[in-house]
Amino acid sequence: MTFFAPFTIPFIAGALFMFAAIFLKWLWWTVKLPKVDRRLILHNFFTRNTLVAVWEVVRESLLHIRIFRVNPLLGYMHMSLAFGWFLLIVVGWIETSVYLGWEMIPIQGHIFFKYFTQVNNIDAHSALLENLMDGLLLLVLSGVALAWFKRMASRAMGMRRATKHALYDRIALSALWFVFPARLVAESLTAAIYGGGGFLTGSLGSWLGGVVPTEMLALIYEPSWWFYSSVLGLFFVALPFSRYMHIFTEIPLIFLRRWQLRPTLERKSYDNFEVEACSRCGICIDPCQLQADLGIHDTQSVYYLRDRRYNMLSLKVANNCLMCGRCEAVCPVGINLTTLRINSRAMRRNIPHEGRYGYLTNIDRSSGVGKVGYFAGCMTSLLPAVQRSMMQIFNAVGEDVWYADKDGGVCCGRPLMLSGETDAARKMVAYNTDLFRRYEITTLVTSCPICLRSFRDNYRLDGIEVLHHSEYIERLITEGRLRVAAGAEVYSYHDPCELGRGLKIYDSPRRVIEAVGTLREAEHNRRDALCCGGSLANTVIDDGKQQRIARRMTAELEATGCDTIVTSCPLCQKSIARTATRPTLDIAEVIAQRIVS
Amino acid sequence: MRRASWQEYQKEIADNKYYYARSCIRQNFFPGSERAFLDILTNDLGVDIFDDPLHTSCTGIGYHSDVVPLETIMTVVARQFSLMAEAGYENFISSCITSFGIYNEVLATWEEFPETEERTRRYLREATGRELVKPRSIAHTSDIMFHHRHSIARRAKRRLVNLYTGESLRVVEHIGCHYAKIFPKSGIGGSEFPYVLAGMIEAWGGDVVDYPERRHCCGFGFRNYLVQANRGSSIANSHKKLESMAPYKPDFIVANCPGCAMFLDKWQYAISEMDGTTYGANGRGIPVLTYEEMAGLVLGYDPWELGMQFHQVDVEPLLDKLGVEYNPDAKYLGRDGKLIGRPRAVAVNGCGVELGLRR
Amino acid sequence: MAYRVVIVGGGAAGMQTALELKSRGIEPVIVERDIELGGKVRGWHKLFPTFVPASDVLFPLAQRVKAARVRCFYGQEVTDIASDGVTLRSGERIPADAVVMATGFTLFDAHRKQEYGYGLYDNVITSVDLERMMNGGGVTLADGTKPQRIAILHCVGSRDEKVGQRHCSKVCCITGVKQAIELREMFPDADIFNFYMDIRMFGPGYEELYREAQEKYNIHFVRGRISEAAETIDKRIQIKAEDTLTGRPLRMTIDMLVLLVGMSANYENEGIAQRAGLELAPNGYFKTVDNFLGAVSSNRRGIFYAGAVTGAKSLADTLAEASLTASAVDDYLKEVFNK
Amino acid sequence: MAILNFGYAISRPRAIDVDNNDLRKSNDIIAEMPELQACIGCGSCTASCTAAAITDFNFRKLHTAVRRGEYKGVYDELSKCMLCGKCRLVCPRGINTRGLVMLIKRKLGDF
């Protein structure tokens, strides 16, 4: 038996090229991993995590469960293409095995089996298998049809905008669109001339046999297989350089992630796995408020990752992001979008000279004595009512408090990190850490979620419990140390991005508010909460645009019919207060008003 | 001057009978100029001018350097005035711009704060037994020269014209800051466009150069120069002026202030030594004259009699343009006919010495 | 028989007052020193902050005055006024039942700020000269070339003790912004610098225009007053100022210096006031009874004011005030003569 | 010619010399963020500045100097900024001050 025909050459060449390219990429990325990451792999390799990863690969790389959750139709599209194709390969292999036994045949023998059955006169007429294969082909074709449809009308797919693609992707995408229709045509023609085929190719074949003259069928038979092989080959060649690389990148990514590898503020080889695992599904576009409120269409995570991957990332795209985390929250691949963005900002950082921030030495503006430290944060100093309320609360419970920055302190460093100046930020981190250590505090309360996030994520404050003031107040109430009077006031609460999606603190502020009044949730809340637009992470949009973002968010809060808007971030409060028509308070102010002495 | 507005700033200048107050700097650095002033007024114009050996420094430099208190300088000024009255004069003329500023300032202070005048009278009486008599008029000697400019023009032996080209000489005039910047009404033409020197230049056939930094200070500035640490600032001001006037290729600079004439002249040497820049033709400096020297040359005085050998920047190229006859060998001869010494040859100074050797 | 009111001055204030009086059945008589109506707005190019051509305001006004057949004396100067009439320089007397002073203001003479070299250097011009140039053949330097760098100096003859002008002329800031934008449109590649002490943008749309000038038209605003201007050898102008926001002196050479000249009180005000027993404000403008209900009344009954004769005013304010004046005159006539 | 040492040098003028300053960088910066021109010099940024509270950092002076083409030392001075963003919250003209700090540093700095 022969399993070679000239038309298979494009396929064979393409497939060989693709597997070589993928292998080299994986190898290169793995070799370049920093020592810490490699140690993590070794440490976690023989653990349950690996098994969990395998299961996750099945769920996410094949079935795309997470996309299903966002949008079933979109999920079906991804699943039909990925899982359908996978089954086509698997069932195709079973099919050949059924007819030929366990004989080893070349891979093109499996792929172009229909062709080679004729060449080798293999008697292959299992109706079950033929119908199964046709069913799978139909499944994949339905996915392709949906993909076409999505291009044409993305709104129907539950997305306001479809992804715009780079050139490499257009080649791969076009090839992919033709792969399965080409297969359908080739197999149907085979059925038309030689008979056989399942409900799809068989029926189409007998219809073609009826309407198309035999000579004509004979004339286009060979070219149809050439076409099928060629588009497959083309797709394979383009794949490693196109977004379809995600098919083969997501798998190692799932393992690496289960082995506890994470991106950091500095770029490293691991980032490649995350960046190339993006399928550019575009799910991240819709939640982006820059897109929804401002009509900015070039900076969303999908474009950012694309630009970064092809080394055409502009500083403006890197910087034009609120880092609210709304995209990260819905990303079906679970890419750490904000961290990646920060570290690509860091790549273009200034090289700080030795004397930079030399003025931080010998500065101590703290006051008071106590084991509990209060760090108001820079922004809070523009909201004296928040500080005063915190002092009232501290007084009410008789807490001895050390005030780190009552008279203005040193920034926590997160704003610098958000701008990519990581090394500069370390000077603030060192300064503040030293300050906290020197005063031997055991609890650190801050009313700024930005500071809180850096204290938890970027500081090493072992032995010091770091609390957001909402958590602290919640604890005081739960422990009975602080007594508050409930009232008839109706509040709506805005989740600050850094506090909510950033640190997963959703319940504490809600429980605190519910202790004194009624809480009504806005349309978008908790994980879906909107950003106030004032984010420090974005240095591109101007004041007017910030306000537009804030206004829409504020309108949602006001639509709850609340009396008062509550938030727990000074920056959010500033953004809301300038666009709101009703009072906007920090959670500390709400509580301070309700203290029962 | 294109501007006629100087006529809005006029002042009464007496025609005759002047009491002459000398300048400390000029007596030391331009003794020929003060001599020439007296000669021109007495011999050429036949005016009565009294050069009183009893009067002293006005102590203005000390005052502006914070070493002489106000009360002291007022008393010194009061003494000069009473000396004038004793000599039978009432038109006080000062050879120095600093002094001129001081006299005006003291008189204005007495006017505004009569108690200071009373106090000064008392001090003067107690210290010298003299009575203060205020002058009828105060003028700077350049005002006097301006006042008589047309008489001088009538007696002129030559005009400020380049003999080789027949064109008027381009003259940069520089007015001392204290001439009119303190009291615009005290100067002819006011503080923005003073006319006192421009009037002479125009009357005697020259062209006045109006350049962007014309109003800028020469940089002397008392403490700016007197304290060595500040001298860089002092020279920077002259530097700025010279840079600004250079494109106009002036034939000479004339100043009415002792310090200005001295610094615009001597800083040219310092600048050429410090960064090699010279501002005149042929790599030389721009000659800096006093208005008496200018008047003296117009009236046909001998340049060495006028004391022009005291200049840092050589004046010979200018003398040649004007067609002044002079004896090069007599330049450094003293009154007794013996050589008084020759300065080291440098870029701005050293006519008759090969230029090539210096650069 | 209708009451007769003599309006001294046929500028915007005078014309508007006349029209209002006429519509109230009172006979206005305008005495204008010039040979035609229009006052200071004549020859002006465009009005701030909307860039409406000045002629779009002036022509309709003059047309209406003509249509209303208001009696006008041209080329006649009023030397004395009283509540029962005015006396012309010719000695002729025009009797009236009330008199409105609408003689406006005098432009500050930029020659008085000698240090800026107006009249001495070719390319130092005033804001008024610039308007005339824009209205005429266009803006060029004296040699016909285009300016590459232009400075506009605010507060020339305003808020300046040195020339006895303590008051703010109110309209120059916005005029400076307007002219900067106009210059930018004429010379897109030129650098334009506005030197100011304070920017006073009190009217509707002014602040917005200021901001537009900064952001959209890239006009440089330097907080510092130019201290002196001098001509360079190539006939450009060297200016010196302090950039007070950096606390350092600043010097630069420019091709054109535009002096935003302020409004001065008329020189004649003093004599007229003295003889008529009217009070003058310290800055030489006529003083009104108060700033509120008596904002158009003099201390002499029967003598009223309209427009910039009582202080610097924009054209919009002047027109509004003129109507107020007419109403006050009407009330006065009813009160005095109908009793 | 030997340069003589008189114990002093000709002082550099303190004036901002707009004629000789290179305004290209300044023009670049303004073109990228025209809102910089909208500064009215109120000083709110400096008054609220976290860094200015503990050092002599003055953003208003620095960006004004940059607009006049005076770049010397500005990069190093701007490095004192902690980017905390208070200034942006207080600016009456809504200027994106943090963006400006980063832009000016980028234009004057080492990348």
Side-chain angles (χ1 to χ4, degrees):
Chain A
M1 273 188 276
T2 174
F3 287 100
F4 179 78
F7 82 84
T8 59
I9 290 173
F11 162 78
I12 296 169
L16 284 176
F17 178 82
M18 177 184 76
F19 285 117
I22 292 171
F23 177 74
L24 285 175
K25 274 192 155 187
W26 282 5
L27 187 70
W28 181 246
W29 295 342
T30 314
V31 167
K32 281 288 186 182
L33 280 178
K35 204 174 271 173
V36 193
D37 285 353
R38 278 181 297 185
R39 208 171 289 144
L40 275 172
I41 296 175
L42 287 178
H43 186 72
N44 287 299
F45 193 81
F46 295 107
T47 61
R48 197 176 146 270
N49 290 348
T50 308
L51 293 174
V52 176
V54 172
W55 176 231
E56 192 183 335
V57 167
V58 173
R59 280 164 47 99
E60 294 308 324
S61 296
L62 291 177
L63 301 177
H64 293 87
I65 305 290
R66 278 199 284 257
I67 305 190
F68 261 106
R69 285 208 194 111
V70 177
N71 183 298
L73 204 57
L74 200 63
Y76 174 78
M77 186 189 95
H78 281 259
M79 185 276 285
S80 63
L81 280 166
F83 193 49
W85 198 354
F86 175 75
L87 287 180
L88 263 182
I89 295 166
V90 173
V91 177
W93 182 76
I94 293 170
E95 191 184 23
T96 52
S97 305
V98 166
Y99 298 130
L100 302 176
W102 295 103
E103 190 183 339
M104 278 297 288
I105 62 166
I107 188 164
Q108 72 271 19
H110 295 286
I111 302 296
F112 305 112
F113 184 66
K114 279 274 159 34
Y115 181 88
F116 290 112
T117 52
Q118 307 310 325
V119 175
N120 297 318
N121 283 317
I122 300 166
D123 184 31
H125 290 292
S126 160
L128 172 69
L129 280 172
E130 294 215 286
N131 282 326
L132 187 59
M133 284 301 276
D134 272 12
L136 290 173
L137 183 59
L138 188 63
L139 178 69
V140 177
L141 281 169
S142 70
V144 173
L146 275 174
W148 276 88
F149 182 63
K150 179 186 159 208
R151 280 278 110 188
M152 303 305 148
S154 55
R155 193 170 284 273
M157 302 285 283
M159 295 173 57
R160 278 188 292 272
R161 294 189 65 86
T163 320
K164 287 173 286 186
H165 294 299
L167 176 71
Y168 307 95
D169 299 320
R170 290 182 191 282
I171 298 171
L173 182 71
S174 311
L176 182 62
W177 279 350
F178 284 110
V179 165
F180 296 97
R183 177 175 176 150
L184 178 68
V185 170
E187 292 191 353
S188 300
L189 281 173
T190 311
I193 298 169
Y194 301 104
F199 68 93
L200 187 64
T201 52
S203 318
L204 198 57
S206 50
W207 176 75
L208 280 173
V211 295
V212 184
T214 321
E215 309 81 61
M216 185 67 86
L217 288 175
L219 199 66
I220 58 172
Y221 173 67
E222 201 72 18
S224 73
W225 284 100
W226 266 100
F227 182 65
Y228 175 42
S229 166
S230 300
V231 289
L232 260 182
L234 184 63
F235 176 68
F236 289 153
V237 170
L239 183 138
F241 311 104
S242 74
R243 63 191 180 116
Y244 298 101
M245 183 63 198
H246 81 268
I247 301 169
F248 295 98
T249 310
E250 194 182 358
I251 299 165
L253 174 67
I254 288 171
F255 283 95
L256 293 175
R257 200 154 50 203
R258 288 291 171 187
W259 294 332
Q260 305 303 319
L261 271 66
R262 294 286 182 274
T264 58
L265 295 182
E266 277 93 29
R267 284 160 75 108
K268 57 181 187 177
S269 183
Y270 172 76
D271 298 351
N272 290 312
F273 289 99
E274 296 226 335
V275 170
E276 300 215 358
C278 171
S279 70
R280 266 168 256 168
C281 65
I283 284 175
C284 54
I285 298 175
D286 278 3
C288 179
Q289 290 167 261
L290 295 182
Q291 183 273 132
D293 296 347
L294 305 179
I296 295 171
H297 298 305
D298 60 355
T299 185
Q300 283 71 27
S301 291
V302 55
Y303 305 121
Y304 156 73
L305 289 173
R306 177 196 65 193
D307 291 357
R308 177 164 170 177
R309 178 177 170 186
Y310 294 129
N311 276 326
M312 53 184 206
L313 181 63
S314 71
L315 202 59
K316 193 177 171 199
V317 167
N319 282 340
N320 198 1
C321 171
L322 298 162
M323 295 207 187
C324 63
R326 280 167 60 78
C327 53
E328 195 172 309
V330 295
C331 176
V333 190
I335 301 171
N336 287 287
L337 296 165
T338 45
T339 312
L340 287 178
R341 205 182 280 252
I342 290 178
N343 75 33
S344 52
R345 289 179 184 180
M347 194 188 69
R348 314 187 74 164
R349 74 192 191 283
N350 299 286
I351 311 297
H353 63 84
E354 282 300 309
R356 191 174 181 192
Y357 303 117
Y359 61 83
L360 291 181
T361 44
N362 299 323
I363 284 175
D364 185 351
R365 314 190 123 219
S366 67
S367 55
V369 181
K371 288 287 159 200
V372 174
Y374 175 63
F375 191 94
C378 301
M379 302 284 179
T380 310
S381 66
L382 293 173
L383 293 163
V386 177
Q387 293 200 60
R388 202 184 50 205
S389 302
M390 283 309 293
M391 283 160 72
Q392 284 174 333
I393 292 167
F394 290 136
N395 286 339
V397 298
E399 193 92 84
D400 291 329
V401 181
W402 170 77
Y403 294 94
D405 58 351
K406 208 173 183 176
D407 191 27
V410 170
C411 174
C412 67
R414 184 151 175 89
L416 281 162
M417 293 176 210
L418 290 174
S419 303
E421 302 205 23
T422 318
D423 22 21
R426 291 219 178 89
K427 301 222 174 187
M428 326 269 129
V429 173
Y431 169 85
N432 283 316
T433 307
D434 175 62
L435 192 69
F436 301 151
R437 295 282 180 219
R438 205 157 0 117
Y439 285 91
E440 297 177 338
I441 53 168
T442 53
T443 307
L444 176 62
V445 180
T446 178
S447 37
C448 175
I450 303 165
C451 304
L452 182 73
R453 180 122 191 235
S454 64
F455 292 154
R456 287 201 179 162
D457 289 358
N458 310 107
Y459 281 60
R460 294 180 147 271
L461 293 175
D462 311 316
I464 300 176
E465 190 185 22
V466 181
L467 295 175
H468 185 238
H469 68 325
S470 64
E471 296 176 305
Y472 174 75
I473 294 167
E474 183 200 10
R475 185 177 298 180
L476 294 179
I477 295 172
T478 326
E479 287 173 355
R481 289 175 66 192
L482 185 69
R483 291 194 22 243
V484 289
E489 196 89 353
V490 178
Y491 301 99
S492 70
Y493 175 69
H494 166 72
D495 286 287
C497 301
E498 295 275 42
L499 193 68
R501 282 179 295 271
L503 294 163
K504 312 281 180 284
I505 299 172
Y506 298 112
D507 296 325
S508 294
R510 285 179 168 74
R511 281 198 282 267
V512 169
I513 293 168
E514 279 163 351
V516 294
T518 313
L519 174 67
R520 282 205 200 130
E521 292 290 357
E523 183 189 336
H524 292 88
N525 58 65
R526 294 177 177 261
R527 214 181 69 130
D528 294 331
L530 295 172
C531 171
C532 71
S535 168
L536 286 177
N538 192 314
T539 47
V540 175
I541 58 169
D542 64 24
D543 191 57
K545 290 179 176 143
Q546 286 192 332
Q547 277 196 63
R548 268 152 66 192
I549 294 175
R551 203 166 292 130
R552 190 168 82 97
M553 184 273 283
T554 309
E556 270 196 9
L557 292 168
E558 293 183 337
T560 60
C562 64
D563 305 313
T564 305
I565 298 172
V566 184
T567 188
S568 51
C569 165
L571 196 52
C572 297
Q573 193 183 342
K574 281 275 178 191
S575 300
I576 299 168
R578 68 200 292 217
T579 51
T581 55
R582 52 200 82 184
T584 308
L585 295 179
D586 186 87
I587 199 157
E589 295 174 74
V590 173
I591 293 305
Q593 289 171 356
R594 300 263 172 199
I595 295 174
V596 178
S597 48
Chain B
M1 299 289 284
R2 290 158 63 194
R3 195 178 170 84
S5 74
W6 66 271
Q7 288 164 346
E8 292 166 20
Y9 294 89
Q10 291 287 7
K11 61 176 182 184
E12 289 257 335
I13 300 171
D15 297 325
N16 207 336
K17 291 185 78 63
Y18 306 121
Y19 180 86
Y20 190 54
R22 285 178 175 259
S23 148
C24 307
I25 291 179
R26 284 157 68 89
Q27 283 175 74
N28 287 291
F29 291 91
F30 310 101
S33 290
E34 293 203 330
R35 180 73 255 158
F37 183 78
L38 293 170
D39 287 349
I40 290 169
L41 262 69
T42 317
N43 303 337
D44 293 82
L45 305 173
V47 168
D48 176 6
I49 180 165
F50 181 54
D51 181 20
D52 189 352
L54 289 178
H55 89 277
T56 64
S57 162
C58 76
T59 68
I61 293 177
Y63 171 66
H64 288 302
S65 319
D66 286 352
V67 295
V68 171
L70 183 62
E71 287 78 3
T72 306
I73 196 166
M74 280 187 173
T75 312
V76 170
V77 167
R79 178 176 172 274
Q80 320 276 60
F81 290 160
S82 59
L83 283 174
M84 176 180 67
E86 286 166 20
Y89 288 84
E90 46 188 9
N91 302 315
F92 196 92
I93 64 172
S94 155
S95 163
C96 173
I97 289 289
T98 304
S99 305
F100 179 68
I102 294 288
Y103 295 129
N104 278 307
E105 183 184 335
V106 167
L107 284 171
T109 311
W110 287 345
E111 183 80 25
E112 293 285 330
F113 305 97
E115 68 276 14
T116 61
E117 183 182 333
E118 278 316 303
R119 207 160 52 222
T120 307
R121 278 182 192 283
R122 202 175 71 237
Y123 291 157
L124 182 68
R125 206 178 301 124
E126 285 168 4
T128 67
R130 291 190 154 89
E131 275 305 317
L132 168 61
V133 182
K134 288 201 268 184
R136 194 166 67 94
S137 78
I138 289 267
H140 183 251
T141 47
S142 62
D143 293 333
I144 305 303
M145 197 70 92
F146 171 82
H147 192 63
H148 294 290
R149 68 192 185 284
H150 297 303
S151 313
I152 292 172
R154 279 193 296 277
R155 292 168 172 79
K157 297 281 189 306
R158 61 178 64 83
R159 291 170 63 75
L160 299 173
V161 171
N162 186 328
L163 209 64
Y164 304 120
T165 63
E167 287 173 4
S168 294
L169 290 178
R170 287 180 300 273
V171 188
V172 158
E173 42 89 69
H174 176 82
I175 308 294
C177 292
H178 290 193
Y179 174 70
K181 282 179 187 162
I182 304 176
F183 301 104
K185 297 270 184 205
S186 72
I188 291 163
S191 63
E192 298 293 339
F193 297 98
Y195 190 64
V196 59
L197 291 180
M200 292 182 219
I201 295 164
E202 286 176 355
W204 302 339
D207 260 356
V208 179
V209 171
D210 188 6
Y211 63 109
E213 298 293 358
R214 196 172 60 81
R215 287 170 270 195
H216 203 83
C217 169
C218 73
F220 174 24
F222 305 100
R223 272 166 293 187
N224 281 7
Y225 176 74
L226 297 172
V227 181
Q228 191 184 347
N230 296 345
R231 248 170 240 174
S233 154
S234 176
I235 193 170
N237 286 282
S238 286
H239 181 252
K240 181 183 285 178
K241 286 187 73 76
L242 291 163
E243 288 279 336
S244 180
M245 71 175 75
Y248 297 83
K249 301 192 185 341
D251 295 299
F252 70 94
I253 300 167
V254 60
N256 73 341
C257 170
C260 304
M262 179 163 125
F263 282 95
L264 288 171
D265 186 31
K266 304 211 184 304
W267 279 143
Q268 289 194 59
Y269 158 72
I271 292 168
S272 81
E273 292 292 350
M274 286 162 95
D275 68 11
T277 316
T278 52
Y279 295 95
N282 301 325
R284 297 240 176 87
I286 305 171
V288 184
L289 273 60
T290 64
Y291 53 94
E292 292 102 329
E293 289 169 345
M294 178 168 72
L297 291 177
V298 164
L299 289 169
Y301 281 57
D302 179 77
W304 310 146
E305 281 297 311
L306 290 168
M308 294 176 83
Q309 63 274 54
F310 279 73
H311 291 203
Q312 192 79 43
V313 177
D314 278 339
V315 293
E316 283 88 337
L318 172 66
L319 299 179
D320 293 343
K321 281 183 212 169
L322 279 168
V324 175
E325 283 178 21
Y326 60 94
N327 179 3
D329 299 329
K331 184 172 181 185
Y332 297 113
L333 296 183
R335 286 198 168 271
D336 55 1
K338 286 183 183 163
L339 190 68
I340 55 170
R342 213 179 253 282
R344 193 169 61 85
V346 290
V348 297
N349 186 343
C351 274
V353 182
E354 283 299 317
L355 278 168
L357 295 175
R358 295 193 299 267
R359 287 276 135 184
Chain C
M1 197 193 82
Y3 299 114
R4 178 197 271 180
V5 175
V6 170
I7 300 163
V8 187
M15 289 193 283
Q16 179 72 6
T17 310
L19 288 169
E20 280 292 325
L21 288 173
K22 189 88 184 178
S23 71
R24 288 164 185 269
I26 299 165
E27 187 207 336
V29 176
I30 295 177
V31 184
E32 167 58 44
R33 184 168 55 174
D34 217 326
I35 51 162
E36 58 180 304
L37 297 175
K40 294 288 188 300
V41 187
R42 259 174 56 210
W44 207 256
H45 182 52
K46 282 179 179 170
L47 302 173
F48 57 77
T50 50
F51 298 94
V52 168
S55 54
D56 284 9
V57 174
L58 206 54
F59 279 163
L61 213 52
Q63 287 295 323
R64 282 165 58 202
V65 170
K66 203 176 163 190
R69 278 186 261 169
V70 174
R71 209 172 138 209
C72 300
F73 290 83
Y74 295 107
Q76 297 285 353
E77 199 177 335
V78 170
T79 51
D80 278 297
I81 62 169
S83 59
D84 60 351
V86 302
T87 312
L88 304 182
R89 183 166 295 288
S90 58
E92 189 190 341
R93 212 181 124 72
I94 307 173
D97 299 309
V99 170
V100 174
M101 276 299 278
T103 50
F105 62 95
T106 302
L107 280 164
F108 177 76
D109 177 11
H111 290 99
R112 289 177 63 198
K113 292 298 288 182
Q114 287 178 32
E115 55 267 48
Y116 302 142
Y118 181 65
L120 179 61
Y121 311 136
D122 289 341
N123 293 312
V124 177
I125 60 171
T126 66
S127 44
V128 180
D129 298 335
L130 183 66
E131 289 292 329
R132 301 266 145 83
M133 285 164 101
M134 291 192 288
N135 222 8
V139 180
T140 59
L141 297 176
D143 62 4
T145 57
K146 283 182 177 181
Q148 291 298 311
R149 191 177 268 172
I150 305 165
I152 299 175
L153 174 61
H154 292 233
C155 294
V156 176
S158 301
R159 304 175 69 198
D160 187 352
E161 294 271 356
K162 291 289 187 297
V163 289
Q165 294 275 104
R166 286 191 176 187
H167 62 277
C168 164
S169 294
K170 233 174 149 186
V171 297
C172 329
C173 280
I174 180 67
T175 302
V177 167
K178 184 203 74 134
Q179 292 186 339
I181 291 175
E182 287 171 315
L183 287 167
R184 158 69 69 239
E185 283 176 341
M186 280 182 270
F187 311 112
D189 300 325
D191 297 323
I192 303 170
F193 290 79
N194 279 42
F195 288 83
Y196 68 95
M197 303 197 291
D198 285 307
I199 290 281
R200 298 181 167 186
M201 292 287 149
F202 60 91
Y206 292 13
E207 181 70 19
E208 290 86 340
L209 194 70
Y210 172 33
R211 195 173 175 138
E212 210 174 292
Q214 292 173 314
E215 278 196 80
K216 187 173 158 199
Y217 292 96
N218 193 20
I219 311 294
H220 301 267
F221 283 83
V222 183
R223 193 190 175 283
R225 192 185 175 93
I226 296 174
S227 62
E228 62 182 68
E231 198 168 50
T232 66
I233 195 164
D234 50 1
K235 301 291 166 199
R236 301 179 79 212
I237 300 149
Q238 188 194 72
I239 52 173
K240 298 180 189 174
E242 190 203 351
D243 188 332
T244 57
L245 297 184
T246 54
R248 285 174 53 195
L250 174 148
R251 62 183 57 215
M252 66 190 291
T253 313
I254 54 171
D255 301 314
M256 179 185 264
L257 176 61
V258 181
L259 306 175
L260 287 167
V261 286
M263 296 178 171
S264 304
N266 294 331
Y267 172 75
E268 299 83 4
N269 288 1
E270 202 175 323
I272 292 173
Q274 206 172 25
R275 289 188 294 273
L278 293 168
E279 284 179 14
L280 285 184
N283 57 9
Y285 287 100
F286 284 101
K287 193 176 170 190
T288 58
V289 170
D290 62 42
N291 288 332
F292 313 103
L293 298 176
V296 294
S297 307
S298 74
N299 58 315
R300 291 266 166 198
R301 279 170 63 78
I303 299 178
F304 296 86
Y305 302 126
V309 72
T310 55
K313 275 185 197 76
S314 69
L315 179 57
D317 290 352
T318 295
L319 292 171
E321 189 176 284
S323 304
L324 183 66
T325 305
S327 150
V329 171
D330 196 4
D331 290 348
Y332 162 78
L333 293 173
K334 281 179 186 146
E335 185 195 326
V336 173
F337 298 103
N338 283 8
K339 254 177 193 169
Chain D
M1 186 190 81
I3 304 290
L4 289 190
N5 182 4
F6 293 101
Y8 51 88
I10 305 171
S11 306
R12 263 180 52 86
R14 226 182 123 250
I16 297 171
D17 187 351
V18 181
D19 291 344
N20 294 313
N21 282 354
D22 180 1
L23 292 169
R24 277 174 303 181
K25 278 182 180 177
S26 162
N27 289 338
D28 271 5
I29 290 167
I30 292 169
E32 207 159 308
M33 288 183 82
E35 63 198 85
L36 173 57
Q37 286 282 55
C39 173
I40 49 173
C42 73
S44 301
C45 49
T46 304
S48 67
C49 179
T50 302
I54 43 186
T55 179
D56 54 0
F57 176 66
N58 185 325
F59 181 52
R60 174 184 60 70
K61 273 195 178 187
L62 291 170
H63 78 62
T64 311
V66 167
R67 283 193 280 159
R68 309 279 178 258
E70 296 275 321
Y71 313 117
K72 194 160 177 274
V74 170
Y75 177 81
D76 284 346
E77 271 298 304
L78 273 184
S79 295
K80 290 180 178 172
C81 168
M82 302 194 221
L83 280 174
C84 75
K86 272 174 82 181
C87 47
R88 192 171 182 184
L89 286 181
V90 297
C91 177
R93 296 220 129 196
I95 296 171
N96 178 358
T97 50
R98 291 180 73 243
L100 271 168
V101 170
M102 289 168 63
L103 173 65
I104 296 172
K105 281 206 297 184
R106 200 168 77 235
K107 293 282 180 190
L108 305 185
D110 45 15
F111 69 91

